[in-house]
Amino acid sequence: MNRKGIPFIILTGQILLTIAAVTLLNPECNKKIQIILAGLFFYTAGLITVKLTNGEKINTEKSFFNVFRLQRHDFQNRLQIIYSMIQLKKYGDTLKYIDDIKNCEKMVNHICNNLTDILLICCLLEIFYRSRQKDINMTVEVHDKSPHLSHISCLKKEIEDYILQFDKIKGKKDIKIVLKASRVEIFSEAIGEKVVYGGEYIA
């Protein structure tokens, strides 16, 4: 059975049970009001569940689209750079650049193959491609394939705020993200400080 249809089935069943109880019980019975209130409570809970499920779906689709758009832009940019290098006959630099591309693809595969949460994967890939646009070398370590993290959007903002610090830094830029069972560690040698999402800030 499709999981998306379960909230609707529960919702419909609660409505039918409430109507049946109200119809069968004696109008003078005090339990009638209790059953109506219980039915309304579960009905409201069902609506909230459906809304949250749909909201998560929209967020996932939006994140997936953003990743696709960034990946497409990154691919076009790579082709343009390789084309320009070949035109200038910089074959050695071209080979080095292709090696860099292969390393980036290894990191993308590492993220996709070692995590199970699609929204988290999209979040990390989006940050990865945005980091590349700023010449920031991003690496990800996965210690737990299914980390228990709530509010992926808050984690994304935490990482984005951390990356903003690179605007004032010249030279080599790097960021390392370590995914553990219930927390995420963000560290950069260029910045020299660590942030723990789900824990305390560590300088």
Side-chain angles (χ1 to χ4, degrees):
M1 181 183 292
N2 190 344
R3 291 185 178 181
K4 295 178 182 177
I6 292 176
F8 294 99
I9 294 171
I10 294 172
L11 197 60
T12 304
Q14 289 165 351
I15 294 171
L16 292 174
L17 284 173
T18 303
I19 293 172
V22 171
T23 303
L24 294 174
L25 286 175
N26 189 321
E28 297 178 357
C29 183
N30 292 332
K31 291 183 179 180
K32 178 181 177 181
I33 297 174
Q34 296 176 0
I35 293 173
I36 291 173
L37 291 174
L40 289 173
F41 171 78
F42 286 115
Y43 178 77
T44 304
L47 284 176
I48 293 170
T49 302
V50 170
K51 185 175 181 181
L52 289 175
T53 302
N54 290 338
E56 183 179 351
K57 179 183 176 183
I58 291 169
N59 288 336
T60 303
E61 290 175 350
K62 183 179 178 182
S63 296
F64 186 81
F65 176 77
N66 287 338
V67 170
F68 174 77
R69 181 173 54 81
L70 289 166
Q71 189 178 46
R72 183 173 176 272
H73 179 271
D74 186 67
F75 177 73
Q76 290 175 334
N77 187 52
R78 288 174 177 179
L79 283 181
Q80 184 62 43
I81 292 172
I82 291 172
Y83 182 76
S84 300
M85 285 180 173
I86 292 173
Q87 275 189 323
L88 296 171
K89 297 182 180 180
K90 295 182 177 180
Y91 304 120
D93 291 339
T94 303
L95 291 175
K96 288 179 182 178
Y97 186 74
I98 291 173
D99 285 337
D100 178 61
I101 292 173
K102 288 168 65 178
N103 290 331
C104 288
E105 289 307 311
K106 285 181 182 178
M107 182 52 58
V108 170
N109 291 334
H110 178 72
I111 293 170
C112 294
N113 295 333
N114 289 282
L115 290 169
T116 57
D117 189 328
I118 295 175
L119 193 57
L120 179 58
I121 291 171
C122 288
C123 169
L124 291 172
L125 290 179
E126 188 175 343
I127 293 168
F128 177 80
Y129 285 115
R130 291 192 187 279
S131 297
R132 275 186 57 81
Q133 291 176 354
K134 297 183 177 183
D135 294 321
I136 300 171
N137 182 34
M138 175 176 154
T139 57
V140 177
E141 281 187 14
V142 180
H143 291 202
D144 193 311
K145 287 193 173 185
S146 302
H148 304 289
L149 302 172
S150 59
H151 307 295
I152 301 297
S153 58
C154 294
L155 170 62
K156 182 181 175 184
K157 187 177 185 308
E158 186 80 40
I159 299 172
E160 288 174 342
D161 288 344
Y162 190 89
I163 290 175
L164 285 176
Q165 299 178 73
F166 287 108
D167 293 342
K168 301 177 182 178
I169 296 176
K170 294 181 180 180
K172 185 180 178 181
K173 302 176 182 180
D174 66 290
I175 182 170
K176 184 176 182 179
I177 299 172
V178 182
L179 298 167
K180 297 190 176 180
S182 58
R183 68 177 186 175
V184 178
E185 296 178 359
I186 309 163
F187 176 75
S188 170
E189 291 183 1
I191 295 175
E193 61 183 34
K194 181 189 287 186
V195 171
V196 178
Y197 177 79
E200 296 181 354
Y201 173 83
I202 302 176

